[in-house]
C-alpha cells in the first residue's frame, strides 16, 4: 500500500467529514468556555460538557445577523446550529456556527454570580479599600506557578522598563479544585515579606473551569486583607475572575500587570532631571527679579550711603547665586552616585539574575539544592532555566574532594 502525504490524508478527511449528512446543519448543546472575540469581529470558543469539548467559530456577519454581539460569555448553556469544518492546512476540525440559542446559565456561572453579589454587598470590591501602587517599587512578589509562562513574561517586561527591580516568586498551583486556598497562603506569605513592595497574583489564560480557583473565597479574603498593594493578572483581557474585582489594580494580562507595577527607569531619570531644571529656573527667575528691583532703586536719585547699601546687597545676591548653583550641582552628583550604587545592589540581590544570564536553579522536592550530600541516585531534580524547566533523574553522584 502506498503511503499518503499529509496533504492527501487531510484532503480525504475533509471530504469524508464535510460530506457526512449527519454533520450538516446539526445541533449540539453544551457550555461556552474560553470565548475570544477577534479584532475582525469573529468569535472563537469551546463548547464543553462532562463528556468532551469541541472548538467553535462564529463569523462576524452571523454574530451581527443574530444580534449576538457581546452576548456570548463563558459559562452560558447554549444550543448551537451549524456545520463541521476541517481545515486541511493545519488538520484542525471545528464547528462553524450558523445560529446560537442561549439557554440557562451553567452551574459555574450561577455560583460565580452568587458569590460576586455576596462579596459586593460585604464591601470587598469598594474603591475606598483600594491602595495605590508604589511609584518606584524595588521588589515585586509574584504569586504563581514557577513553571508557567507568567514569570518569563514579567521578567521580559522588567528587563525593558527597569532591570533594577528584583522579584520574589511564591510558587503555587494555579489550577485544580484545591488550588484556591494554596494561592491564598502564597498571597499571605508575600504580604508578610518585608522586602515586597507590590504583589502580582495570576496565571495565563484558560477556560472558566481552569481559572475557577481564582474565584475561591479564601483567596478573595486573603487579597482583601493584604496591607501590600495587589495586582491581579489572571488570564487574557476578556477573562474576569473575582480576584480582578478585589485586587487594588487589575492587569489585563501578566505582561500588562508588570507594566502597571514597574515605572520605567528612563522616565524616572527624565523626571528627576526636569525637577532639577525647574528648581534651577525658579531660582534664576527670583534672582533676576531681585536684581531688577535693585537696579530700579539704583536709578533713582539717592544718597551715597544708600548706593553703598545697594552694592552690598548685590554682592550678597551674587554670592547666594554661586552657592545655590554649587549646591544643586553637588546634589545632582550625589543622587547619581546613589542611583548607581542602588543599581549594583539590586542586581546582586536579584534571585533570578543568574537564571537570566544562563545559569540554572535546581530544586529537590521543591527545595533549592545547595549540597551534593542531599542527593541520592534515583532522585528527581527540577532544573529551572530562563525559558522553562526540565525534570531530570540522578544517575550518578560524584563528591568533589
Amino acid at each position: 500500500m502506498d503511503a499518503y502525504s499529509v496533504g492527501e490524508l487531510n484532503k480525504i478527511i475533509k471530504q469524508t467529514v464535510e460530506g457526512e449528512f449527519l454533520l450538516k446543519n446539526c445541533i449540539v448543546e453544551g457550555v461556552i468556555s474560553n470565548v475570544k472575540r477577534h479584532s475582525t469581529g469573529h468569535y472563537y470558543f469551546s463548547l464543553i460538557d462532562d463528556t468532551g469539548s469541541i472548538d467553535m467559530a462564529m463569523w462576524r456577519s452571523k454574530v451581527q445577523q443574530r444580534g449576538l454581539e457581546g452576548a456570548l460569555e463563558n459559562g452560558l448553556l447554549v444550543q448551537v446550529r451549524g456545520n463541521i469544518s476541517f481545515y486541511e492546512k493545519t488538520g484542525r476540525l471545528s464547528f462553524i456556527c450558523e445560529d446560537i440559542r442561549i439557554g440557562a446559565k451553567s452551574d459555574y456561572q450561577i455560583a460565580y454570580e452568587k458569590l460576586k453579589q455576596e462579596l459586593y454587598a460585604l464591601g470587598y470590591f469598594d474603591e475606598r479599600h483600594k491602595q495605590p501602587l508604589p511609584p518606584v517599587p524595588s521588589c515585586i512578589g509574584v504569586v504563581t506557578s514557577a513553571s508557567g509562562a507568567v514569570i518569563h513574561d514579567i521578567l521580559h517586561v522588567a528587563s525593558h522598563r527597569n532591570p533594577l527591580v528584583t522579584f520574589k516568586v511564591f510558587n503555587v498551583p494555579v489550577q485544580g479544585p484545591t488550588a484556591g486556598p494554596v494561592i491564598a497562603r502564597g498571597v499571605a506569605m508575600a504580604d508578610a515579606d518585608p522586602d515586597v513592595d507590590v504583589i502580582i497574583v495570576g496565571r495565563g489564560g484558560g477556560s472558566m473551569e481552569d481559572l475557577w480557583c481564582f474565584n475561591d473565597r479564601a483567596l478573595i479574603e486573603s487579597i482583601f486583607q493584604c496591607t501590600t498593594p495587589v495586582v491581579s493578572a489572571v488570564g487574557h483581557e476578556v477573562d474576569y475572575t473575582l480576584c480582578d474585582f478585589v485586587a487594588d489594580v487589575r492587569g489585563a494580562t501578566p505582561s500588562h500587570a508588570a507594566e502597571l507595577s514597574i515605572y520605567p527607569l528612563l522616565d524616572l531619570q527624565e523626571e528627576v532631571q526636569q525637577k532639577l531644571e525647574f528648581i534651577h529656573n525658579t531660582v534664576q527667575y527670583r534672582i533676576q527679579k531681585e536684581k531688577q528691583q535693585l537696579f530700579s532703586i539704583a536709578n533713582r536719585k539717592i544718597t551715597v550711603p544708600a548706593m553703598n547699601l545697594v552694592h552690598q546687597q548685590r554682592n550678597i545676591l551674587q554670592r547666594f547665586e554661586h552657592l545655590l548653583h554649587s549646591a544643586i550641582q553637588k546634589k545632582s552628583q550625589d543622587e547619581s552616585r546613589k542611583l548607581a550604587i542602588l543599581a549594583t545592589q539590586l542586581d546582586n540581590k536579584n534571585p533570578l539574575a543568574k537564571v537570566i544570564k544562563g545559569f540554572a536553579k535546581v530544586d529537590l522536592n521543591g527545595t533549592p539544592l545547595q549540597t551534593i550530600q542531599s542527593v541520592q541516585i534515583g532522585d528527581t531534580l527540577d532544573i529551572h532555566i530562563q525559558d522553562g524547566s526540565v525534570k531530570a533523574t540522578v544517575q550518578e553522584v560524584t563528591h568533589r574532594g
Side-chain angles (χ1 to χ4, degrees):
M1 178 182 292
D2 294 335
Y4 292 115
S5 68
V6 174
E8 290 171 339
L9 180 60
N10 280 353
K11 186 174 183 180
I12 293 173
I13 295 174
K14 179 179 178 67
Q15 292 172 346
T16 303
V17 171
E18 296 186 358
E20 172 57 52
F21 176 75
L22 293 176
L23 299 180
K24 291 182 180 294
N25 201 33
C26 62
I27 298 176
V28 60
E29 184 176 81
V31 175
I32 292 178
S33 177
N34 203 23
V35 62
K36 296 180 179 65
R37 183 187 183 278
H38 195 269
S39 58
T40 59
H42 305 321
Y43 276 82
Y44 300 92
F45 57 95
S46 298
L47 201 66
I48 64 173
D49 61 16
D50 295 336
T51 60
S53 171
I54 186 171
D55 292 334
M56 296 269 173
M58 190 170 193
W59 310 136
R60 180 181 62 181
S61 58
K62 292 296 182 181
V63 173
Q64 294 175 343
Q65 182 181 350
R66 305 301 182 188
L68 294 172
E69 185 71 40
L72 302 182
E73 299 178 357
N74 290 330
L76 292 179
L77 180 63
V78 296
Q79 284 189 349
V80 181
R81 179 176 59 81
N83 305 292
I84 293 293
S85 173
F86 185 82
Y87 188 43
E88 293 181 54
K89 188 173 182 180
T90 60
R92 183 174 181 177
L93 184 144
S94 60
F95 192 99
I96 307 302
C97 305
E98 296 292 328
D99 194 10
I100 296 179
R101 180 180 177 183
I102 299 176
K105 296 179 179 179
S106 69
D107 292 340
Y108 279 108
Q109 192 73 15
I110 293 172
Y112 173 86
E113 293 181 359
K114 180 181 178 182
L115 183 55
K116 181 180 178 182
Q117 290 298 323
E118 181 181 346
L119 295 173
Y120 178 82
L122 292 173
Y124 277 58
F125 308 148
D126 289 358
E127 286 297 323
R128 60 191 176 91
H129 296 308
K130 307 295 185 185
Q131 303 180 78
L133 299 183
V136 188
S138 60
C139 179
I140 296 177
V142 184
V143 183
T144 189
S145 171
S147 60
V150 171
I151 296 297
H152 176 77
D153 293 343
I154 291 176
L155 289 177
H156 178 72
V157 172
S159 66
H160 292 288
R161 294 176 74 83
N162 188 349
L164 305 181
V165 176
T166 60
F167 295 89
K168 287 191 175 182
V169 180
F170 298 84
N171 185 25
V172 295
V174 291
Q175 186 172 333
T178 61
V182 181
I183 302 172
R185 289 195 293 271
V187 170
M189 289 175 61
D191 186 42
D193 193 312
D195 294 333
V196 174
D197 300 316
V198 62
I199 301 170
I200 297 177
V201 56
R203 56 156 284 167
S207 66
M208 191 173 193
E209 293 79 7
D210 295 337
L211 306 180
W212 189 251
C213 57
F214 290 92
N215 296 316
D216 187 271
R217 181 157 191 156
L219 175 56
I220 304 307
E221 291 180 349
S222 179
I223 295 175
F224 182 73
Q225 294 168 3
C226 274
T227 58
T228 307
V230 178
V231 181
S232 174
V234 183
H236 300 300
E237 186 171 359
V238 297
D239 297 323
Y240 271 87
T241 66
L242 297 181
C243 275
D244 296 318
F245 297 103
V246 73
D248 298 295
V249 175
R250 176 192 181 249
T253 64
S255 295
H256 183 229
E259 291 175 358
L260 294 172
S261 305
I262 303 172
Y263 195 86
L265 183 60
L266 290 178
D267 291 356
L268 177 62
Q269 292 172 332
E270 183 178 347
E271 186 175 326
V272 170
Q273 184 61 36
Q274 288 176 351
K275 289 182 178 180
L276 288 174
E277 291 178 358
F278 174 77
I279 294 173
H280 175 77
N281 293 336
T282 301
V283 171
Q284 283 288 88
Y285 171 77
R286 183 64 183 269
I287 291 173
Q288 292 299 325
K289 185 177 179 180
E290 295 297 332
K291 282 184 177 181
Q292 290 175 0
Q293 291 180 351
L294 287 175
F295 290 149
S296 176
I297 295 174
N299 289 333
R300 299 173 186 171
K301 294 184 179 297
I302 55 179
T303 60
V304 173
M307 288 298 297
N308 291 336
L309 178 63
V310 169
H311 290 306
Q312 291 175 3
Q313 293 300 319
R314 180 185 298 172
N315 292 335
I316 293 173
L317 278 175
Q318 288 175 346
R319 288 197 300 272
F320 173 73
E321 181 180 3
H322 175 73
L323 291 173
L324 192 56
H325 278 301
S326 299
I328 290 175
Q329 185 176 9
K330 184 178 184 301
K331 181 66 174 177
S332 177
Q333 292 173 348
D334 290 344
E335 293 300 323
S336 296
R337 284 194 293 269
K338 289 179 182 178
L339 188 60
I341 293 172
L342 179 61
T344 302
Q345 292 175 343
L346 290 177
D347 189 56
N348 291 335
K349 289 169 58 181
N350 188 349
L352 298 177
K354 291 186 177 180
V355 173
I356 296 173
K357 295 176 181 178
F359 291 90
K361 175 176 174 288
V362 181
D363 289 343
L364 174 60
N365 298 325
T367 303
L369 182 61
Q370 298 180 346
T371 172
I372 200 71
Q373 302 295 333
S374 303
V375 181
Q376 296 181 0
I377 294 176
D379 285 346
T380 299
L381 303 180
D382 293 313
I383 303 173
H384 302 283
I385 55 179
Q386 180 180 356
D387 56 353
S389 61
V390 177
K391 282 190 177 293
T393 302
V394 177
Q395 296 183 351
E396 181 180 344
V397 177
T398 304
H399 295 268
R400 184 179 299 151

